[in-house]
Amino acid sequence: MDEVVAGNRLVWERASQKHVHEYDELLEEARGEGGLFARERELLGPVLAEGPVVVHFQSGHGLDDVALVKAGAKSVIGVDYSSVAAGAAQRRAREVGTACRYVVAEVPGVPVRDASVDLVYTGKGALIWMRDIDAWARDAARVVRPGGNLFVYESHPAVPLWTWDEDEPRIRPDRSYFAESHINDTFPGNGAQEWQWTLGQIVTAVTTAGLRLQVLEEYAEPFWRPQDDTNAAAWSGQLPNSYALLAQRPL
């Protein structure tokens, strides 16, 4: 693990304390429907109907994992390089009684056997931590079985450009869609270096790794909003704020 990634890991370990401080609230969410959006359920419906074994790259608080099991997954392996996040997620999974287990490890390089899972699930603030998008895509293609799938539900790559002004959307003068990286200045990654991958780079990485693109959709609604009264004009429907990608490893 290089110096930048190690520094980001420390930032994420601190940020993941939120998952501990809000443990009871997150536990209640896990006992409910969990963390999947309606469109995720629709796109993943046929996949989850087969009872897949899932690995979740960068699993965070694990609410998505509980939801995946409730929606039909046989089991979920969550991989996150935060021991705080993985530990809290494992405890919640045990309390809720779902077939989820967690591994503390870096992505790419997940400790999962080649061609051993049916679905790689990831997103919601995951790809910004990847300094090598091609290596990430190769790791996803490596662990998924022929006929299996990669699913990403993620913040749109253009989001770092949008200001949070309430009157009208604006572009931040200190950001570029084509920049290599930028420093995060909001929670939870405040101070971390994030990598700026374009949608074209992401799709190219996935297809070059040998996966066949099935679905690519862009949405105006962000997957995350601050837990305060912030209501940015950039979220009003004019601009892309999230996307979904579904790809399959050919038989």
Side-chain angles (χ1 to χ4, degrees), residues 4-124:
V4 173
V5 175
N8 281 356
R9 183 179 187 179
L10 289 176
V11 171
W12 192 242
E13 287 283 23
R14 291 195 297 269
S16 295
Q17 290 295 332
K18 179 179 172 66
H19 303 156
V20 177
H21 299 326
E22 299 177 357
Y23 183 85
D24 292 339
E25 293 93 328
L26 293 173
L27 180 60
E28 285 306 306
E29 288 187 51
R31 286 174 171 156
E33 288 298 317
L36 296 181
F37 292 108
R39 188 57 180 150
E40 289 186 276
R41 294 177 183 278
E42 292 171 5
L43 292 172
L44 286 174
V47 177
L48 294 174
E50 300 295 323
V53 174
V54 182
V55 61
H56 183 177
F57 285 11
Q58 298 156 278
S59 50
H61 52 46
L63 295 185
D64 295 318
D65 308 326
V66 174
L68 286 166
V69 172
K70 290 183 177 182
K74 179 180 179 181
S75 62
V76 178
I77 303 166
V79 181
D80 200 285
Y81 67 2
S82 167
S83 58
V84 174
Q90 187 66 76
R91 179 183 167 197
R92 268 189 298 275
R94 283 196 297 265
E95 290 199 48
V96 176
T98 52
C100 303
R101 65 182 180 88
Y102 293 87
V103 179
V104 178
E106 188 179 355
V107 179
V110 298
V112 175
R113 296 192 312 277
D114 295 0
S116 63
V117 303
D118 305 295
L119 172 65
V120 174
Y121 175 93
T122 191
K124 298 176 182 172

Side-chain angles (χ1 to χ4, degrees), residues 163-214:
T163 67
W164 287 7
D165 295 316
E166 293 189 18
D167 57 343
E168 64 178 275
R170 295 181 176 86
I171 294 177
R172 292 182 54 156
D174 61 332
R175 296 283 174 85
S176 167
Y177 186 71
F178 300 103
E180 179 179 298
S181 65
H182 59 264
I183 301 301
N184 184 294
D185 55 11
T186 60
F187 182 85
N190 194 8
Q193 182 172 341
E194 297 179 355
W195 281 271
Q196 178 71 24
W197 302 110
T198 68
L199 197 57
Q201 287 173 314
I202 295 166
V203 171
T204 299
V206 168
T207 56
T208 301
L211 302 176
R212 183 181 297 133
L213 188 66
Q214 305 289 315

